[in-house]
Every structure is written in structure tokens, then in C-alpha cells.
């Protein structure tokens, strides 16, 4: 696979004073911040008291009077989309500390230098589902899946889905199951490497991995979970770091005819008070979010709730696919990191190598049959 660009935060040496006095001040500031953060954890009494006494935060406004959503944001988090069995809606501080410490320990372990004397991976891979059968892939330096539990309304959340109450994606309808069975029948007898159109959209550099670009815009739990928002009176642009997708949301106007189905669908926005509401239909048939049908509608709500947070809510409405609508909430956090070009096809020999490798394997198998 090609090596794709991702952001790395600036080093601590670039962010702290270099003089002895400056270092002492910085250390005191860090300790004070840790104490304050501990005393005012989300949902704590101290945090609520401090919030009540402080001046209410007011969102900045654009020249046309609407909340300013512009900037660079990330939705990276370790909170899963669906709630693990047996978990409550919210987590305790001890549970959060344990989860975040586990993520930190894993990152440290994977960041350790590789053993130069380690043996080569087995020929053809070891049969695992890892990168190319565990013969090698990205090392942890390139990954940035998120390292914090999602906080919404002062609560540590156990899942991004909030409706249904169990935090799970609703079951598929009978119609959706039949549709999926028909698609599987069409592919029966074809090899997954027979031609490029059978490879995933992300591998072909057409769309982002998972539903990173959306809608709904969900974390991919891998890397490049950054977004840049640019806002005018008539349009909102969302630049998605993963695969460098660009969503253009039209503020008002007529919807596209049903036969026009662009990637990421046809998004039309409106303001409801201080919340940007976006309704998207006309999805490209190959996008198929979680086996969705052509009638899929996604409703998104963007609300600037603090200087550093946009609360992003989404609702999935597709009666022919899901037994009921379902919704989630994802905090988008401001970041000072830059979004670099995701040059997906730059020196990307993966797709041609995958297909040529399969052709070589077929020739080898044919030769053995003829012997």
C-alpha cells in the first residue's frame, strides 16, 4: 500500500520555554492544569459550580450573523460507534481512566523500536486478517485513531449511538436482507481480485475509508480524522482529510433530480436557530452506507457548544433498510494541526500490484494443472 500523509502534532520542545525559569513556570502551569482538570472532570460537582459562576460562552458569528463553525476539527476518539454489551450510557471516571490508559499503553508499546534481528514473515502471510496477512503495513507512527473517550454534555459516553436506547444499530429489514443476498449472488463465482471495480472504494482512492467523509461523518479509528470547515452565506465546505474528499453543502435551493447521485450525496443546509441542519439524499449507489438503499436520508446537526467543540448529531432514516431510524452524537474538537494533501495515488502501486499478483498466481495454477 502507498504511504499516505497524516498530521503529527508539534513536538513538546516546540511548545515549551527553553530557559530554566521558563521550564519551571511551564511545569507549575502543567501541574495546575492537572489539578484543575481532576477537580473539574466532566459531570463533577466542581465543574458544574465553576460553569455556573463563569460568564456564559458566546459563539463567534460570521458576517451574516450565524455561528462561526470554521476551522479545523477532529472526531478521533476511542469511544466505539455501538455500545459494548453490558455497558451503561455513561462511564465513570475510573472506567474512563482505565480505557484511556490502555490506549496510551498500547501506543507506547507499538512505538517501541523494531527488532532488526526479527525473522522475516512467512511467505504468503500467516493467514491472519492483519495487513497483507501480517507481512507488514503501517507502523504505529503513522496512526492516529484518537486517545480519549467522547464527552457530550459533560458526560463520558460509552458509544456514539444514543438512539435506540441500547446504543446498537437497528436490525436490517427483510427487504434489506434480500437485497444483500441478491448482491452476493451476483458476485458468486468472481474472485475479489478479478478487476479493479471489485476492490474497495478507499483502496481505489475514490472515497474515504469507512464513513469518514459520510454523511454521517464518523471516526475511522485509524488515522486522518481531521476536517476543515469553510462557511459562506450560500455554502458550507467540509474538507475531509481522509482521501481528501470535499463536501459542498448548499444553503437552501432545489434538490437534485433523483437520477443524479454524486459521491456523498446531495446535501442541503438550513439554520434552525444556532444549529446548522443538513439533509442529504441522492447517495451514489456504490457508497451503500451499511447496506443502505437509494432512499437513504441522513440528517446532520452542527452546534458550536464551546470555543473548542462542535456537537455533531446525525440521524439515519432508511425504512427499507433499518427497522427504525437511529441517531448518534459525536464531539468534533478543535485542532491546530494542519491538513496536508492526502496524495492517495502518489507513488501508489498497490492496486496494479494486487491485480498483477493475482494474474501471476492464476498463471502458476494453470501451469500446475497442465503438468
Amino acid at each position: 500500500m502507498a504511504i499516505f500523509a497524516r498530521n503529527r502534532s508539534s513536538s513538546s520542545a516546540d511548545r515549551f520555554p527553553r530557559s530554566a525559569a521558563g521550564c519551571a513556570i511551564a511545569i507549575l502551569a502543567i501541574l495546575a492544569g492537572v489539578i484543575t482538570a481532576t477537580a473539574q472532570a466532566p459531570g463533577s460537582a466542581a465543574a458544574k459550580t465553576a460553569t455556573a459562576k463563569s460568564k456564559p460562552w458566546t459563539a463567534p458569528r460570521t458576517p451574516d450573523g450565524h455561528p462561526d463553525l470554521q476551522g479545523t476539527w477532529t472526531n478521533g476518539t476511542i469511544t466505539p460507534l455501538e455500545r459494548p454489551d453490558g455497558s451503561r450510557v455513561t462511564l465513570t471516571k475510573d472506567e474512563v481512566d482505565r480505557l484511556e490508559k490502555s490506549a496510551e499503553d498500547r501506543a507506547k508499546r507499538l512505538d517501541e523500536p523494531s527488532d532488526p534481528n526479527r525473522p522475516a514473515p512467512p511467505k504468503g502471510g500467516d493467514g491472519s486478517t492483519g495487513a497483507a496477512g501480517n507481512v507488514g503495513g503501517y507502523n504505529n507512527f503513522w496512526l492516529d485513531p484518537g486517545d480519549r473517550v467522547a464527552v457530550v454534555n459533560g458526560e463520558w459516553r460509552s458509544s456514539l449511538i444514543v438512539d435506540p436506547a441500547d446504543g446498537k444499530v437497528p436490525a436490517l429489514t427483510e427487504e434489506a436482507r434480500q437485497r444483500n443476498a441478491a448482491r452476493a449472488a451476483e458476485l458468486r463465482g468472481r474472485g475479489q481480485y478479478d478487476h479493479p471495480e471489485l476492490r474497495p472504494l478507499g483502496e481505489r482512492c475514490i472515497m474515504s475509508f469507512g464513513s469518514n467523509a459520510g454523511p454521517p461523518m464518523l471516526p475511522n479509528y485509524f488515522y486522518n480524522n481531521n476536517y476543515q470547515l469553510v462557511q459562506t452565506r450560500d455554502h458550507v465546505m467540509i474538507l475531509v482529510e481522509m482521501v481528501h474528499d470535499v463536501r459542498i453543502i448548499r444553503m437552501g435551493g432545489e434538490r437534485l433530480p433523483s437520477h443524479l447521485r454524486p459521491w456523498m450525496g446531495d446535501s442541503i443546509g438550513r439554520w434552525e436557530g444556532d444549529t446548522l441542519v443538513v439533509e442529504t439524499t441522492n447517495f451514489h449507489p456504490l457508497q451503500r452506507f451499511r447496506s443502505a438503499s437509494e432512499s437513504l436520508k441522513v440528517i446532520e446537526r452542527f452546534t458550536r457548544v464551546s470555543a473548542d467543540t462542535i456537537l455533531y448529531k446525525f440521524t439515519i432514516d432508511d425504512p427499507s433498510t433499518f427497522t427504525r431510524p437511529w441517531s448518534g452524537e459525536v464531539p468534533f474538537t478543535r485542532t491546530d494541526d494542519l491538513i496536508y494533501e492526502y496524495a492517495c495515488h502518489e507513488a501508489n502501486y498497490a492496486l496494479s500490484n494486487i491485480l498483477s499478483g493475482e494474474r501471476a498466481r492464476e498463471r502458476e495454477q494453470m501451469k500446475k494443472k497442465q503438468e
Side-chain angles (χ1 to χ4, degrees), residues 72-80 144-151 160 209 211-214 216-229 238 240-242 300 302 308-312 314 329-335:
T72 304
W73 310 84
T74 177
N75 64 1
T77 180
I78 60 175
T79 299
D144 188 18
D147 55 9
R148 292 290 179 266
V149 170
V151 178
L160 301 181
F209 296 75
S211 188
N212 217 199
M217 301 188 301
L218 303 178
N220 60 49
Y221 304 102
F222 193 56
Y223 70 172
N224 291 352
N225 287 296
N226 293 338
Y227 303 80
Q228 182 180 4
L229 273 65
I238 303 178
V240 186
E241 183 176 28
M242 182 66 88
E300 303 165 284
F302 301 76
D308 297 321
T309 308
I310 291 175
L311 178 56
Y312 172 75
F314 66 89
E329 298 178 335
V330 188
F332 276 56
T333 306
R334 177 179 288 281
T335 176

Side-chain angles (χ1 to χ4, degrees), residues 15 53 79 109 131 142 194 242 315 341 351 358:
R15 289 178 287 174
K53 291 181 178 179
T79 299
R109 184 177 71 256
W142 299 103
D194 279 359
M242 182 66 88
T315 297
E341 180 186 5
L351 189 57
E358 181 67 6

Side-chain angles (χ1 to χ4, degrees), residues 252-288:
E254 297 295 324
R255 192 165 292 284
L256 294 175
S258 60
H259 67 281
L260 295 180
R261 296 182 170 270
W263 297 112
M264 297 171 281
D266 178 31
S267 296
I268 295 181
R270 67 179 185 275
W271 288 98
E272 292 184 357
D274 285 347
T275 297
L276 172 64
V277 180
V278 180
E279 292 192 15
T280 303
T281 60
N282 295 44
F283 286 91
H284 193 288
L286 293 182
Q287 205 164 343
R288 286 201 287 262

Side-chain angles (χ1 to χ4, degrees), residues 194-209:
D194 279 359
H195 56 78
E197 286 77 13
L198 293 176
R199 302 308 302 153
L201 297 178
E203 186 177 290
R204 294 160 60 192
C205 299
I206 293 176
M207 282 288 296
S208 66
F209 296 75

Side-chain angles (χ1 to χ4, degrees), residues 136-163:
Y138 297 105
N139 60 32
N140 197 62
F141 172 84
W142 299 103
L143 306 186
D144 188 18
D147 55 9
R148 292 290 179 266
V149 170
V151 178
V152 177
N153 297 329
E155 299 174 339
W156 288 295
R157 294 290 177 83
S158 61
S159 67
L160 301 181
I161 293 178
V162 295
D163 182 37

